[in-house]
Amino acid sequence: MNFDREKELRVQRSRLQEVRSRKARRRSIFIWSAIVCLGIIILINLIFHPLDKYLAHANEPDITVGKENPAQGKENTTQQPTNSLQGDTNKQQQQIQQQTQEGTTQVQEQVSQEDPHPLPLGKLIDNIPTKDNKTVYLTFDDGPNEHTAEIVSILEKNKINASFFWIGEKVTDKMGEFGHQMIEKGNVIGSHTMRHDALGKESGAKQKSDLTQAASLIGNKVGHKVTYMRPPYGSVNAETRKITKELGQYIMFWDVDSLDWSLAHNPEKILTNIKNGNVKPGSIILMHERKQTVEMLPKVIEYLRSQGYNFAALPASPVPEETKTK
Ligand SMILES: [Zn+2]
């Protein structure tokens, strides 16, 4: 009897132990899972928090538009600094603000140089300062024509890029293909309207149809979206600003005028005009695709280099927030 009772007790005890050890195992699995989860959360935080900072600063606006109006602008406009312009998304905009408040600095300065610059739509942009304070923008109007290839070749020899504003009706298939190559090499091609008309003298409807047609024609021929527009004669009115804003086209003015178009018989004066033109960091220099310009271009580049400037095409792909989703 006693023996049986003892045996039964032992069996019961061993069952009890088994149950306990099972519970203990479950508990330890739960604890370890919790620890692993916590570890993963910490890791994710470590990885993504700096990345968030990086992303936020990559889109931080770092451009201010100059206050001076271009000499040939037809209207008086006070230009605003562009600090509060388009970030990438609302969320990132918030992050930018947060990061700015936190006062982090070092990473953003390295990043923002290479990123698309937020520029103001509907305003006359005549200067694009960069953080290095040494960049100027050569721009050539009225092409494409027989001088385009020569200009591109001079730019290539000097290992620099520039921006071109083409007249829609002049862009043949052949020039479109050439333009495509120019863009692939880092240059920018914008619109100079369809027929070089003074926009400021036209009705809103006519301007809209002209600017839409020019951007789509040039864009199709060169195989890249056209987001920059230079108004012929610098002629704009309130409608131009409203329409370009709607169309997502930046109005590109200039703050240094070489007057090259008028100097066929006095090419040296092109260089003089630039020397006397108050070139400053971020200057947009107005030139044209002309014979005398080709002649003087190497000297212009050499002079600006001697003054410590380097060259860039207009910021690539500055697609404004408003047009991204369309
Ligand atoms: Zn022109």
Side-chain angles (χ1 to χ4, degrees), residues 234-245:
S235 168
V236 295
N237 59 21
E239 285 293 301
T240 322
R241 298 204 273 142
K242 191 175 138 238
I243 290 158
T244 48
K245 196 172 180 179

Side-chain angles (χ1 to χ4, degrees), residues 141-142 192 196 232 288:
D141 288 9
D142 294 2
H192 198 40
H196 207 271
H288 294 76

Side-chain angles (χ1 to χ4, degrees), residues 139-143 163-165 192 230-231 254 286-289:
T139 63
F140 300 90
D141 288 9
D142 294 2
S163 307
F164 295 77
F165 293 96
H192 198 40
R230 171 161 287 156
W254 56 91
L286 174 63
M287 291 188 280
H288 294 76
E289 298 195 27

Side-chain angles (χ1 to χ4, degrees), residues 247-315:
L247 298 175
Q249 297 181 15
Y250 298 91
I251 308 176
M252 301 312 296
F253 265 64
W254 56 91
D255 61 357
V256 177
D257 192 347
S258 70
L259 293 170
D260 58 343
W261 58 273
S262 65
L263 296 168
H265 303 291
N266 189 7
E268 289 288 334
K269 185 94 196 303
I270 296 172
L271 184 59
T272 312
N273 285 339
I274 289 174
K275 283 182 180 175
N276 298 334
N278 189 25
V279 177
K280 53 184 176 291
S283 274
I284 299 174
I285 300 169
L286 174 63
M287 291 188 280
H288 294 76
E289 298 195 27
R290 300 283 158 90
K291 185 172 174 287
Q292 62 271 26
T293 311
V294 172
E295 193 185 326
M296 290 308 294
L297 185 55
K299 287 183 183 172
V300 168
I301 294 169
E302 194 189 327
Y303 165 74
L304 290 167
R305 277 217 168 112
S306 77
Q307 301 300 300
Y309 289 111
N310 53 46
F311 305 86
L314 293 168

Side-chain angles (χ1 to χ4, degrees), residues 39 41 72 88 110 120 125 157 212 251 259-260 291 302 312:
I41 289 168
Q72 296 187 1
D88 221 9
Q110 290 165 1
I125 302 166
K157 270 182 205 148
T212 307
I251 308 176
L259 293 170
D260 58 343
K291 185 172 174 287
E302 194 189 327

